[in-house]
mmCIF file of all heavy atoms in Angstrom:
data_model
loop_
_atom_site.group_PDB
_atom_site.id
_atom_site.type_symbol
_atom_site.label_atom_id
_atom_site.label_comp_id
_atom_site.label_asym_id
_atom_site.label_seq_id
_atom_site.Cartn_x
_atom_site.Cartn_y
_atom_site.Cartn_z
ATOM 1 N N VAL A 36 -105.031 -119.159 35.850
ATOM 2 C CA VAL A 36 -106.423 -119.006 36.256
ATOM 3 C C VAL A 36 -106.915 -117.629 35.831
ATOM 4 O O VAL A 36 -106.139 -116.678 35.754
ATOM 5 C CB VAL A 36 -106.576 -119.214 37.782
ATOM 6 C CG1 VAL A 36 -105.843 -118.130 38.556
ATOM 7 C CG2 VAL A 36 -108.042 -119.284 38.181
ATOM 8 N N GLN A 37 -108.200 -117.527 35.556
ATOM 9 C CA GLN A 37 -108.788 -116.263 35.146
ATOM 10 C C GLN A 37 -109.024 -115.342 36.334
ATOM 11 O O GLN A 37 -109.126 -115.783 37.485
ATOM 12 C CB GLN A 37 -110.118 -116.504 34.420
ATOM 13 C CG GLN A 37 -109.992 -117.254 33.109
ATOM 14 C CD GLN A 37 -111.334 -117.443 32.426
ATOM 15 O OE1 GLN A 37 -112.376 -117.017 32.927
ATOM 16 N NE2 GLN A 37 -111.313 -118.081 31.272
ATOM 17 N N PHE A 38 -109.093 -114.045 36.044
ATOM 18 C CA PHE A 38 -109.439 -113.061 37.057
ATOM 19 C C PHE A 38 -110.722 -113.471 37.779
ATOM 20 O O PHE A 38 -111.717 -113.830 37.153
ATOM 21 C CB PHE A 38 -109.616 -111.691 36.409
ATOM 22 C CG PHE A 38 -110.152 -110.630 37.330
ATOM 23 C CD1 PHE A 38 -109.326 -109.971 38.217
ATOM 24 C CD2 PHE A 38 -111.496 -110.296 37.306
ATOM 25 C CE1 PHE A 38 -109.814 -108.988 39.064
ATOM 26 C CE2 PHE A 38 -111.995 -109.318 38.151
ATOM 27 C CZ PHE A 38 -111.155 -108.666 39.032
ATOM 28 N N GLY A 39 -110.695 -113.419 39.110
ATOM 29 C CA GLY A 39 -111.838 -113.789 39.914
ATOM 30 C C GLY A 39 -111.980 -115.274 40.175
ATOM 31 O O GLY A 39 -112.892 -115.679 40.905
ATOM 32 N N GLY A 40 -111.105 -116.070 39.622
ATOM 33 C CA GLY A 40 -111.185 -117.509 39.770
ATOM 34 C C GLY A 40 -110.577 -118.014 41.059
ATOM 35 O O GLY A 40 -110.141 -117.241 41.918
ATOM 36 N N SER A 41 -110.536 -119.341 41.179
ATOM 37 C CA SER A 41 -110.038 -120.003 42.381
ATOM 38 C C SER A 41 -108.990 -121.035 42.018
ATOM 39 O O SER A 41 -108.974 -121.580 40.917
ATOM 40 C CB SER A 41 -111.185 -120.680 43.139
ATOM 41 O OG SER A 41 -112.154 -119.751 43.570
ATOM 42 N N SER A 108 -111.214 -115.422 44.465
ATOM 43 C CA SER A 108 -111.249 -114.018 44.032
ATOM 44 C C SER A 108 -109.872 -113.542 43.597
ATOM 45 O O SER A 108 -109.413 -112.463 43.972
ATOM 46 C CB SER A 108 -111.809 -113.130 45.146
ATOM 47 O OG SER A 108 -113.112 -113.522 45.512
ATOM 48 N N LEU A 109 -109.218 -114.346 42.792
ATOM 49 C CA LEU A 109 -107.838 -114.071 42.414
ATOM 50 C C LEU A 109 -107.733 -112.838 41.522
ATOM 51 O O LEU A 109 -108.605 -112.570 40.690
ATOM 52 C CB LEU A 109 -107.233 -115.279 41.713
ATOM 53 C CG LEU A 109 -106.840 -116.416 42.655
ATOM 54 C CD1 LEU A 109 -106.646 -117.707 41.898
ATOM 55 C CD2 LEU A 109 -105.569 -116.043 43.424
ATOM 56 N N LYS A 110 -106.648 -112.095 41.719
ATOM 57 C CA LYS A 110 -106.365 -110.873 40.995
ATOM 58 C C LYS A 110 -105.036 -111.005 40.266
ATOM 59 O O LYS A 110 -104.191 -111.809 40.651
ATOM 60 C CB LYS A 110 -106.280 -109.685 41.966
ATOM 61 C CG LYS A 110 -107.466 -109.531 42.895
ATOM 62 C CD LYS A 110 -107.198 -108.456 43.933
ATOM 63 C CE LYS A 110 -108.352 -108.321 44.898
ATOM 64 N NZ LYS A 110 -108.070 -107.293 45.942
ATOM 65 N N PRO A 111 -104.817 -110.208 39.216
ATOM 66 C CA PRO A 111 -103.532 -110.264 38.526
ATOM 67 C C PRO A 111 -102.345 -110.011 39.450
ATOM 68 O O PRO A 111 -101.268 -110.586 39.232
ATOM 69 C CB PRO A 111 -103.652 -109.163 37.466
ATOM 70 C CG PRO A 111 -105.107 -109.097 37.176
ATOM 71 C CD PRO A 111 -105.782 -109.345 38.507
ATOM 72 N N GLU A 112 -102.507 -109.193 40.470
ATOM 73 C CA GLU A 112 -101.422 -108.922 41.392
ATOM 74 C C GLU A 112 -101.075 -110.110 42.281
ATOM 75 O O GLU A 112 -100.074 -110.069 43.009
ATOM 76 C CB GLU A 112 -101.721 -107.689 42.258
ATOM 77 C CG GLU A 112 -103.100 -107.701 42.895
ATOM 78 C CD GLU A 112 -104.127 -106.913 42.107
ATOM 79 O OE1 GLU A 112 -104.187 -107.075 40.873
ATOM 80 O OE2 GLU A 112 -104.870 -106.125 42.729
ATOM 81 N N VAL A 143 -102.425 -115.227 37.108
ATOM 82 C CA VAL A 143 -103.814 -114.782 37.041
ATOM 83 C C VAL A 143 -103.940 -113.829 35.867
ATOM 84 O O VAL A 143 -103.289 -112.784 35.833
ATOM 85 C CB VAL A 143 -104.262 -114.099 38.341
ATOM 86 C CG1 VAL A 143 -105.736 -113.739 38.263
ATOM 87 C CG2 VAL A 143 -103.990 -115.003 39.536
ATOM 88 N N SER A 144 -104.777 -114.169 34.914
ATOM 89 C CA SER A 144 -104.952 -113.349 33.725
ATOM 90 C C SER A 144 -105.770 -112.109 34.037
ATOM 91 O O SER A 144 -106.684 -112.129 34.872
ATOM 92 C CB SER A 144 -105.612 -114.152 32.609
ATOM 93 O OG SER A 144 -106.907 -114.596 32.992
ATOM 94 N N SER A 145 -105.466 -111.015 33.354
ATOM 95 C CA SER A 145 -106.151 -109.753 33.573
ATOM 96 C C SER A 145 -107.316 -109.575 32.614
ATOM 97 O O SER A 145 -107.497 -110.335 31.669
ATOM 98 C CB SER A 145 -105.180 -108.588 33.424
ATOM 99 O OG SER A 145 -104.623 -108.561 32.123
#
Side-chain angles (χ1 to χ4, degrees):
V36 65
Q37 295 181 0
F38 172 81
S41 298
S108 301
L109 283 163
K110 308 172 182 178
E112 49 263 46
V143 184
S144 62
S145 60

